[in-house]
Amino acid sequence: MSNFDYRTNAEVIRVDMHPDGKSARGVTYINENGEEVFQPAGIVLLCAYQFYNVRLMLLSGIGKPYDFATGEGAVGRNYSFLSNGGLTLYYKDKQFNPFATAGATGVMFNDVSPRPGFTDGVKHGFIGGAKIHSSQATGNPIGTSLPPGTPGWGAGWKKGMADWYGRSMKISITTTCMSYRSNFMDLDPTYKDRYGNPLLRVTFDWKENEKKLQQYLRDICLSLKDDLQPDIFSESFMKEDAHYDLRPYVSTHTHGGAVMGETPEQTALNKYSQSWDAHNVFVVGGHAFPQNHQSNPTSMIGGMAYLAAKGIVEQYLSNPGQLVQA
Ligand SMILES: Cc1cc2nc3c(=O)[nH]c(=O)nc-3n(C[C@H](O)[C@H](O)[C@H](O)COP(=O)(O)OP(=O)(O)OC[C@H]3O[C@@H](n4cnc5c(N)ncnc54)[C@H](O)[C@@H]3O)c2cc1C
């Protein structure tokens, strides 16, 4: 394409706004030589992943930053993650061949997902739900789960590995996570990147709703375990005194921070992923989800990208301005 130019090693550090702050005039990026380059633009698409999109909006002054104290402002609001956990079942006389794996070797059921007709949550005092799944592991020996009490290194670990490699399976949960007033993102007052720009700060902790949901799922998983009769099992569910811990891997499905909605008061984007505050800035990604719905997000993000493109091509180009009137 003669009118298409793709620049690698270009890190966008801000969207540059027109003096009235109502539309963008381009972006500034750092090129591979470390030089600052201004790129003029009629339309800016921010597609830098949920966290970085929110950070670019905050660094560029697009939208009103969320204020935890007053509850006002939309950019940074509604950050939500998801929780996981489950059981590992060990069998002395079974071999699962974990190296022979593919996506389709997994099994999942959605009976306890949030959906019309699922009322258990009301009975147990939570909203939301989860998928329960069991997938064949990737077979990597170092990452293989070993029964509780097995040493994590040395001769004991080697013996545990020889005895138990391939002899376990998991029952896993991936849960919804609600958004809360006190879970949010803002610009860090202390830490900066190498260009001197504030890093994104995430304030997040688990709440009672997610802990109740986890305990409900634990009961289901334990009853599955009883049917499956392992020799040994271990469990990992959120306890009542649990706090969010950044260190163990949970997921990359981070949501919220620049939510899509019908009015600009509490949301940052309209249904076309168009900023309510800067009409030629479209921001596509997981930040648009108001809660974490637990499902894998990328197909929906792709769908939102198509809708943004449709809005731009069919409406915006011929009549630049807000595509939705609040
Ligand atoms: C290991 C792993 C497994 C996953 N598995 C699944 C799965 O099974 N199902 C599922 O639905 N999702 C899965 N995800 C999540 C999925 O990858 C994301 O939901 C998806 O990539 C988000 O798309 P995006 O376009 O918003 O961001 P990305 O795909 O992250 O694209 C953002 C792009 O912007 C670039 N960028 C960032 N900052 C800047 C900047 N300042 N200037 C210029 N460029 C910038 C990045 O280099 C990147 O190319 C997985 C993620 C990981 C890491």
Side-chain angles (χ1 to χ4, degrees), residues 5-323:
D5 186 13
Y6 183 76
R7 293 183 206 167
T8 57
N9 295 315
E11 183 178 352
V12 173
I13 57 169
R14 69 174 168 272
V15 179
D16 296 274
M17 305 296 287
H18 284 294
D20 66 2
K22 291 190 175 149
S23 60
R25 60 189 184 91
V27 300
T28 296
Y29 68 89
I30 308 291
N31 72 11
E32 56 199 351
N33 303 317
E35 297 156 341
E36 223 176 89
V37 180
F38 173 66
Q39 174 61 51
I43 299 175
V44 172
L45 304 173
L46 293 182
C47 310
Y49 189 74
Q50 177 255 358
F51 281 132
Y52 215 116
N53 286 339
V54 173
R55 181 170 178 242
L56 280 172
M57 291 178 83
L58 290 168
L59 287 173
S60 311
I62 298 172
K64 187 173 175 185
Y66 175 68
D67 181 341
F68 161 57
T70 63
E72 290 176 7
V75 185
R77 183 177 178 272
N78 277 63
Y79 176 70
S80 63
F81 198 21
L82 52 74
S83 73
N84 60 17
L87 299 176
T88 307
L89 313 184
Y90 299 90
Y91 298 86
K92 286 180 190 150
D93 62 347
K94 289 192 169 38
Q95 175 53 255
F96 291 91
N97 294 333
F99 40 82
T101 184
T105 56
V107 178
M108 178 183 299
F109 64 89
N110 272 299
D111 301 46
V112 293
S113 290
R115 61 183 166 75
F118 173 62
T119 54
D120 278 15
V122 179
K123 286 184 221 146
H124 290 83
F126 65 82
I127 52 172
K131 64 188 175 209
I132 299 182
H133 47 109
S134 182
S135 306
Q136 187 76 310
T138 48
N140 47 332
I142 300 284
T144 291
S145 302
L146 295 175
T150 309
W153 53 280
W157 176 79
K158 278 188 190 168
K159 178 166 185 330
M161 188 56 73
D163 290 346
W164 291 102
Y165 178 75
R167 298 195 182 282
S168 65
M169 62 166 280
K170 288 185 187 296
I171 304 174
S172 307
I173 58 166
T174 304
T175 79
T176 54
C177 178
M178 298 299 124
S179 297
Y180 299 93
R181 186 168 171 167
S182 57
N183 286 343
F184 63 95
M185 298 182 282
D186 61 358
L187 291 177
D188 196 285
T190 308
Y191 297 105
K192 297 187 176 5
D193 69 7
R194 58 195 180 285
Y195 310 120
N197 294 319
L199 294 177
L200 191 71
R201 179 171 68 172
V202 178
T203 303
F204 180 82
D205 205 356
W206 304 121
K207 307 287 184 192
E208 197 183 340
N209 187 70
E210 283 60 52
K211 293 175 188 174
K212 282 185 179 168
L213 170 59
Q214 282 255 347
Q215 289 307 309
Y216 165 80
L217 295 162
R218 177 175 181 266
D219 290 345
I220 295 175
C221 291
L222 287 175
S223 80
L224 291 170
K225 181 267 303 174
D226 289 344
D227 288 344
L228 293 167
Q229 298 185 354
D231 294 299
I232 307 171
F233 76 96
S234 61
E235 66 174 86
S236 142
F237 292 95
M238 205 188 285
K239 297 202 169 63
E240 280 179 13
D241 60 352
H243 290 286
Y244 175 59
D245 183 352
L246 186 66
R247 293 165 301 171
Y249 175 77
V250 177
S251 165
T252 51
H253 302 172
T254 52
H255 287 0
V259 166
M260 179 184 283
E262 293 182 345
T263 61
E265 282 74 40
Q266 294 189 313
T267 66
L269 311 171
N270 66 27
K271 68 176 184 177
Y272 294 101
S273 300
Q274 182 185 32
S275 163
W276 288 115
D277 301 276
H279 62 78
N280 65 344
V281 178
F282 293 77
V283 193
V284 180
H287 51 265
F289 300 125
Q291 318 281 350
N292 200 313
H293 47 74
Q294 153 273 120
S295 305
N296 289 354
T298 311
S299 316
M300 184 59 83
I301 293 172
M304 294 188 303
Y306 275 118
L307 191 61
K310 184 176 161 68
I312 292 168
V313 170
E314 294 181 1
Q315 296 180 60
Y316 188 86
L317 290 179
S318 57
N319 186 20
Q322 280 298 329
L323 298 180

